[in-house]
Amino acid sequence: MSEHIGTTCVQGGYRPGNGEPRQVPIYQSTTWKYDTSEHMGKLFDLEESGYFYTRLQNPTNDYVAAKIAEMEGGTAAMLTSSGQAANFFAVFNIVGCGEHVVASSAIYGGTYNLFAHTMAHMGIEFTFVGPNCSDEELEAAFRPNTRAVFGETIANPALDVLDIERFAKAAHDHGVPLIVDNTFPTPVNCRPFEWGANIVTHSTTKYMDGHGTAVGGAIVDAGRFDWMAHSDKYPGLTTPDESYHGVTYAERFGKEGAFITKATAQLMRDFGCIQSPQNAFYLNNGLESLHVRMPQHCKNGQAAAEFLSQHPKVRFVRYPNLPGDANYELAQKYLPNGGCGVVSFGFEGGRAAAETFMKNLKLAQIATHVADARTCVLHPANATHRQMNDEELKAAGIEPDMVRLSCGIEDTEDLLADLAQALDAC
Ligand SMILES: *Cc1c(COP(=O)(O)O)cnc(C)c1O
């Protein structure tokens, strides 16, 4: 049966049998009990599948990860404690010291710090390219030791749309996978695997949870990258893992399972960035209404973008689905049903007007959050991107007076009225 995404949102992952609970059970247990230590040994050797310790795997998490895999059209998935952990694992699973990644410069500030600073200290080099760079610039960014390409479907908060097909082709021409952070559109509005991406990551903290309840992340594998065909580049997947009883992930688990199994058996074992089963339960509740919420987020985003673009006190508006936006063509291609509820804009009155505007909002709340049911606003240059200098801000597509408005799912009229009264005060 080929399901539509809404049905998968509601019923994917966990399919209860006769007499079993309808809601995903929360396995609030660190450990599992076995009758013999031989049985336990087989689990440790990955010879049999089963649960023994929640740092490695937990059924609640696996049900929810399976739902996200189905939503994205992937073959395997795992949950992580946060979106940061998801992006770290997705890259570190295949890129090590002395190796290199090509990344779009239009990415979330936290991911930029992770790559440009923390992972740089681990000996991994990143070359950042503009999402709209020329083919020649993109080509020139690759090196013999490049192991992955990374981008965001819709950049937070610059709102550039990644030309997934173009970046996937460049990655594949160089024999490396494309990793896409699909947090903002969610699989309801874009499925990067359909355009050639190999690995998708999420901060489930955002629309997927959707209620500002639990920080979390997810990694999904399309199961199509042939690690064995590029075994010189990915010895971690294609040669025995001495830290895991000599298992060769790509041989034992194939294209479909190798990436997630390695990230679970090795990275989760060692770094322990697990999502708590309780949080996975909250996440699943959010996923059940994702396909109903996203259209309202997009309706409000579109209405706010249109209203702001006509307002005399507004200097610029960025919203990929707004006609005339620099990303409009890409949005038509990748986000035909809408992208997300996030609108970025700036003020004729500059940074001071941005601050006055924010102070005067009544319905929209100031929060270091984005993409949940309640409308919220943030001044990135003052908050999430505070560590960046002006040059880095510019490369990430952020202006000093730019406000990021995350439209919730309230009534459109009330939201527009709030924006109007706060602009009057500027
Ligand atoms: C928020 C966010 C992250 C980081 O996720 P956390 O859950 O906060 O760790 C990564 N990527 C994008 C696009 C985000 O919006």
Side-chain angles (χ1 to χ4, degrees):
M1 190 176 82
S2 82
E3 286 178 359
H4 292 88
I5 185 106
T7 305
T8 310
C9 286
V10 181
Q11 296 212 9
Y14 175 65
R15 292 184 169 78
N18 187 42
E20 289 179 354
R22 273 188 89 209
Q23 177 57 287
V24 174
I26 304 169
Y27 284 78
Q28 195 66 53
S29 183
T30 56
T31 28
W32 275 256
K33 171 244 166 197
Y34 287 94
D35 289 341
T36 67
S37 68
E38 285 84 357
H39 190 171
M40 188 96 116
K42 284 191 179 142
L43 300 178
F44 268 93
D45 282 350
L46 303 176
E47 266 173 33
E48 259 183 47
S49 61
Y51 296 93
F52 49 98
Y53 192 52
T54 286
R55 169 147 50 78
L56 278 117
Q57 276 188 299
N58 175 287
T60 310
N61 292 22
D62 283 357
Y63 287 133
V64 180
K67 174 181 281 191
I68 295 173
E70 287 173 34
M71 288 165 63
E72 287 286 4
T75 55
M78 68 195 288
L79 301 186
T80 57
S81 53
S82 66
Q84 286 298 106
N87 282 327
F88 173 56
F89 276 23
V91 174
F92 197 62
N93 204 31
I94 49 170
V95 189
C97 183
E99 295 177 331
H100 172 256
V101 178
V102 175
S104 165
S105 60
I107 53 176
Y108 174 64
T111 311
Y112 179 82
N113 285 336
L114 170 68
F115 289 174
H117 301 290
T118 301
M119 290 184 82
H121 284 147
M122 302 169 89
I124 299 172
E125 277 192 277
F126 289 80
T127 298
F128 294 95
V129 294
N132 305 310
C133 68
S134 68
D135 287 343
E136 292 70 34
E137 283 171 286
L138 183 53
E139 181 61 31
F142 284 87
R143 301 183 192 167
N145 62 344
T146 302
R147 294 292 176 264
V149 177
F150 183 95
E152 273 174 32
T153 316
I154 305 177
N156 174 10
L159 302 180
D160 288 295
V161 178
L162 186 73
D163 191 342
I164 302 172
E165 229 174 6
R166 185 163 81 97
F167 275 69
K169 183 174 183 304
H172 299 161
D173 285 349
H174 290 270
V176 304
L178 172 65
I179 303 170
V180 173
D181 181 331
N182 198 35
T183 297
F184 267 16
T186 82
V188 169
N189 283 335
C190 180
R191 304 213 299 171
F193 294 158
E194 291 171 0
W195 303 101
N198 301 97
I199 307 290
V200 155
T201 59
H202 283 281
S203 166
T204 62
T205 317
K206 313 296 166 52
Y207 291 116
M208 282 189 164
D209 171 297
H211 301 80
T213 306
V215 173
I219 310 173
V220 192
D221 182 6
R224 288 196 296 253
F225 194 84
D226 192 348
W227 308 106
M228 278 312 212
H230 304 283
S231 59
D232 54 322
K233 291 195 175 106
Y234 305 104
L237 283 158
T238 62
T239 62
D241 177 1
E242 294 313 331
S243 83
Y244 223 102
H245 319 290
V247 63
T248 299
Y249 297 103
E251 264 171 14
R252 178 89 73 85
F253 302 99
K255 281 191 284 197
E256 295 76 16
F259 187 92
I260 294 295
T261 307
K262 175 178 180 287
T264 303
Q266 203 183 67
L267 301 187
M268 201 56 103
R269 177 198 62 189
D270 295 350
F271 292 106
C273 314
I274 55 162
Q275 186 163 135
S276 82
Q278 183 79 41
N279 282 359
F281 174 86
Y282 294 137
L283 168 58
N284 189 56
N285 277 351
L287 292 172
E288 286 187 5
S289 63
L290 184 64
H291 62 299
V292 181
R293 289 183 285 111
M294 286 311 288
Q296 182 67 15
H297 283 293
C298 293
K299 179 184 172 215
N300 281 347
Q302 189 81 33
E306 282 167 15
F307 168 76
L308 292 167
S309 68
Q310 272 150 36
H311 199 286
K313 289 185 180 168
V314 172
R315 185 168 76 81
F316 70 90
V317 176
R318 288 204 204 131
Y319 189 70
N321 292 77
L322 185 70
D325 188 89
N327 286 276
Y328 187 68
E329 308 266 291
L330 287 170
Q332 292 294 100
K333 174 172 174 178
Y334 293 106
L335 310 160
N337 301 320
C340 64
V342 183
V343 182
S344 293
F345 64 103
F347 295 80
E348 290 295 350
R351 207 171 170 145
E355 278 159 27
T356 309
F357 170 80
M358 289 183 53
K359 246 181 260 168
N360 282 280
L361 287 165
K362 294 195 166 73
L363 180 146
Q365 305 162 353
I366 298 175
T368 316
H369 202 245
V370 62
D372 75 39
R374 288 160 294 254
T375 295
C376 60
V377 279
L378 180 82
H379 190 187
N382 230 347
T384 43
H385 290 65
R386 215 184 159 78
Q387 281 81 4
M388 286 189 175
N389 61 37
D390 281 357
E391 214 165 79
E392 288 171 328
L393 279 177
K394 204 167 156 250
I398 293 152
E399 311 266 345
D401 63 330
M402 189 173 99
V403 163
R404 182 186 70 188
L405 170 71
S406 169
C407 297
I409 55 175
E410 300 92 344
D411 280 304
T412 313
E413 296 69 28
D414 295 339
L415 178 55
L416 294 186
D418 192 36
L419 299 180
Q421 66 82 23
L423 277 163
D424 285 347
C426 292

